[in-house]
Amino acid sequence: MTAINAIRMGGVEVLPLVEGGKGISVSNGKTSGHWAASGGVGTFSAVNADAHDASGAPILEVYRGRTRRERHEELVDFAIRGGIHQAREAHELAGGAGRIHANILWEMAGAERVITGVLEGARGLINGITCGAGMPYRLSDIAARFGVYYYPIVSSARAFNALWRRAYSKAAELLGGVVYEDPWRAGGHNGLSNSEDPTRPEDPYPRVVALRKLLRSFGLGETPIIMAGGVWWLDEWRDWIDNPELGPIAFQFGTRPMLTRESPISDAWKKKLLTLAEGDVFLNHFSPTGFYSSAVNNAFIRELRERNERQVAYTTEPVGEHVAEYGVGPRRRSVYLTPPDLARAHEWEREGFTEALRTPDNTLIFVAPEKAREITADQIACMGCLSQCRFSNWSEHEPDYSTGKKADPRSFCIQKTLQAIAHDRDDPNSVENNLMFSGHNGFRFATDPFYSNGFIPTVKELVARILTGR
C-alpha cells in the first residue's frame, strides 16, 4: 500500500487527489461536490455547463439567433448560467470539505467573459480555476480580481516559463498549483508541440523534473505539481510520492470519475467504458481547435479517418503532374489532379462518395451526398463555441468574425457532437456516432478487478479505493 498524505493546495490541506475537468456537461456540480466531500479537489467544467429546471432536468440549449454572432452571445449566456448552477450544487454537496475548482478551455469562445460571469454569480463558492487548451496569460488577472487560486494546465516547462514571465509572476501568491498534463496519455485536447512526435510517448518523469527545477528557480519550490494523464493506481507512482526531486505532487483523475454512480453520462457510455480494449483510444488531429485530442476510436472517429483518407491535392491551373481535369461542385468548375489521383477519385465516386469538397490546403475530400449536406448544415449552424474554428472558419475577433480561411470539411462541429453524447441518453448508438473523449488508460476498466461484474462505484467508494494505492 502506498501512503497518501494531505498536501497544502489553495491555502488548505487536502488529499492530493484531483478530479479532472471534462466538458461538456460531464464533470458537473454533482461529481465535483462529492469528490470534494471525500477530501480531494473536485472540478466541474464551466465549458457550456448545464443549467437545470425545477425538476432537476437539464435545460437544453436552443439557439434562436439568425447569425453566428447572435448565437455566440446566446452561447455565452448559457455557459454563464450553467456554470453558476454547477458551482452552487458543488458547493452545497461538498459541505465545506476539500476544494471546488472550475475548469475552462482558453480556446473556447468568450472564455474570459464566461469565467468572469461565473465567478461573479457564484462568489465565494469556487476556490480555484484550472485552465488549459492554449496559453491563458489572463488567467492570473482573473484570479486576482476575484481572490481565487489559479491552476494553469501545461505540457512542458517551456510553456509555464512563458506564462510566468509574461503574466503569472505578478500574482504569484495565488498560483495554487501547476497541472502537468501528459500530451500522450491524457484524454480530451492535448498540448503536443510541433517538435513532439504523437506516435512516440515520452516518459513524464524527466519532463516533470524539468518543470520542478523551473518552479524552484522562481521561488515556487512548494507549489504543487498535479500529474494528469495516465494515472490509475497510485502504487504505480510510488516513486513520485514524497520524492524530494519532484517536491509536492498531486494526482489528477480524469477518466475514472466518469464511471461512478454520480457521473451524469449515459448508461450506454458507462457500459462502453467497461468494454474498451488497449488501443481503442486514438490520438487524432481532427479537432476544429487544431489541437491533438484523445478519443475512443468509435464509428464517429472512423468516419473522420476514412473521410481524410479519401483526399487528393489539386491545382486551379495545369501545373507539373497536375494535368488531369476534374469538375468540382454543381457548376463542375475545373481543377487539375494527377492522373493517378483522378483514377482514385473515379473509384471513390463508384463507391458512392460523389461529393468533392474543397479544403483550405488545396485538397479535395470525397464524401457521400448525405454527409456533404450534414457538413454544410453544421457549418451554417455554427454558434461560435471556439475562439477560432477551422471547421466553420468562425473567429470571435472583429470585424468579420472569420479566420480568413476556407471552412475545413475534414473536421467537425465539436459543440454539436459533445452536446449530443452528453444529452442523448435514450439513444444507445450515441456513443458510437459522437465524439467520445477518453484518457489512454480507459481500457483498464475492463481489467481492473474493482469493476468486476460491471460494478460501478460511488465517488466516495472510488476515492476510498484510490487511497488504498490500487
Side-chain angles (χ1 to χ4, degrees):
M1 175 177 173
T2 300
I4 306 296
N5 298 314
I7 190 172
R8 190 160 186 83
M9 187 186 304
V12 299
E13 297 286 321
V14 294
L15 292 175
L17 308 179
V18 179
E19 177 191 13
K22 299 167 290 296
I24 294 172
S25 307
V26 174
S27 294
N28 63 9
K30 190 173 185 179
T31 62
S32 58
H34 281 285
W35 193 279
S38 299
V41 177
T43 307
F44 72 88
S45 172
V47 181
N48 299 117
D50 283 339
H52 292 258
D53 61 22
S55 69
I59 301 172
L60 298 183
E61 298 177 2
V62 178
Y63 294 89
R64 296 181 170 83
R66 296 174 61 87
T67 67
R68 290 180 175 185
R69 180 62 179 162
E70 290 172 350
R71 293 191 292 271
H72 168 72
E73 290 300 317
E74 292 178 279
L75 179 138
V76 170
D77 290 342
F78 286 139
I80 292 172
R81 180 175 59 172
I84 293 169
H85 179 97
Q86 299 302 333
R88 289 172 177 165
E89 182 174 18
H91 177 78
E92 181 178 341
L93 289 171
R99 298 273 89 177
I100 296 295
H101 291 179
N103 173 259
I104 62 169
L105 286 84
W106 200 246
E107 288 301 313
M108 76 180 192
E112 187 170 349
R113 292 173 60 196
V114 170
I115 194 58
T116 297
V118 172
L119 290 169
E120 285 178 342
R123 284 184 181 270
L125 308 183
I126 297 170
N127 308 116
I129 320 167
T130 59
C131 184
M135 293 294 281
Y137 292 108
R138 293 274 299 148
L139 184 62
S140 57
D141 293 337
I142 298 168
R145 176 178 170 186
F146 292 94
V148 300
Y149 290 88
Y150 64 102
Y151 299 79
I153 300 172
V154 301
S155 58
S156 67
R158 183 175 66 176
F160 183 77
N161 184 46
L163 292 166
W164 176 262
R165 294 186 183 279
R166 179 166 166 179
Y168 294 176
S169 59
K170 301 170 187 175
E173 71 282 359
L174 290 174
L175 179 65
V178 180
V179 181
Y180 169 76
E181 187 175 71
D182 190 279
W184 292 276
R185 297 168 179 83
H189 289 104
N190 304 69
L192 279 167
S193 71
N194 292 333
S195 63
E196 292 166 333
D197 187 341
T199 67
R200 295 181 178 273
E202 295 182 13
D203 181 357
Y205 186 87
R207 294 169 69 94
V208 175
V209 167
L211 177 57
R212 175 57 70 194
K213 287 180 179 178
L214 180 69
L215 291 176
R216 284 174 174 150
S217 73
F218 297 145
L220 303 172
E222 295 304 307
T223 299
I225 294 175
I226 302 163
M227 175 61 207
V231 182
W232 194 266
W233 293 335
L234 290 183
D235 273 355
E236 297 168 337
W237 300 81
R238 64 179 64 190
D239 293 342
W240 288 52
I241 298 169
D242 297 326
N243 183 328
E245 189 174 30
L246 295 175
I249 289 285
F251 297 93
Q252 180 168 298
F253 297 83
T255 302
R256 292 192 73 176
M258 296 175 70
L259 199 58
T260 59
R261 294 184 206 170
E262 293 86 353
S263 170
I265 67 174
S266 68
D267 290 342
W269 195 341
K270 291 177 182 179
K271 289 177 182 177
K272 181 72 173 180
L273 289 173
L274 285 166
T275 62
L276 294 180
E278 190 167 5
D280 279 351
V281 178
F282 174 61
L283 185 61
N284 66 85
H285 207 203
F286 300 134
S287 172
T289 63
F291 292 108
Y292 277 91
S293 67
S294 295
V296 174
N297 189 23
N298 58 7
F300 179 85
I301 289 289
R302 288 193 293 273
E303 190 280 325
L304 283 166
R305 296 175 82 168
E306 293 165 3
R307 187 193 309 177
N308 280 259
E309 288 166 0
R310 293 190 299 271
Q311 184 170 190
V312 295
Y314 73 87
T315 60
T316 55
E317 300 290 340
V319 177
E321 296 181 353
H322 287 75
V323 294
E325 189 172 5
Y326 182 77
V328 177
R331 297 184 181 181
R332 310 305 293 174
R333 295 185 182 276
S334 293
V335 298
Y336 296 87
L337 314 179
T338 66
D341 282 345
L342 180 63
R344 295 169 69 201
H346 288 325
E347 178 61 28
W348 293 327
E349 289 175 335
R350 287 190 290 272
E351 293 172 357
F353 304 108
T354 56
E355 299 297 314
L357 304 180
R358 298 177 192 248
T359 80
D361 298 323
N362 289 334
T363 64
L364 301 174
I365 64 166
F366 288 78
V367 298
E370 60 270 22
K371 179 58 67 174
R373 290 192 291 270
E374 178 187 342
I375 290 170
T376 300
D378 288 347
Q379 290 170 335
I380 292 171
C382 173
M383 69 288 291
C385 71
L386 299 173
S387 61
Q388 294 191 78
C389 176
R390 66 180 176 129
F391 175 68
S392 68
N393 86 350
W394 155 269
S395 170
E396 66 178 348
H397 301 297
E398 299 183 57
D400 54 2
Y401 301 103
S402 168
T403 61
K405 299 179 180 180
K406 293 177 182 177
D408 194 337
R410 295 170 295 187
S411 188
F412 58 92
C413 177
I414 195 167
Q415 175 77 195
K416 171 190 170 183
T417 188
L418 291 181
Q419 289 285 356
I421 195 171
H423 297 110
D424 290 351
R425 304 183 61 82
D426 296 328
D427 180 3
N429 296 318
S430 182
V431 295
E432 275 297 317
N433 298 327
N434 289 293
L435 179 64
M436 184 181 173
F437 281 140
S438 175
H440 287 256
N441 266 348
F443 73 94
R444 297 184 69 171
F445 285 120
T447 58
D448 189 331
F450 185 54
Y451 302 96
S452 296
N453 300 315
F455 173 68
I456 298 177
T458 64
V459 168
K460 183 177 180 179
E461 289 170 333
L462 174 59
V463 172
R465 175 71 170 188
I466 291 170
L467 287 173
T468 69
R470 301 290 285 179

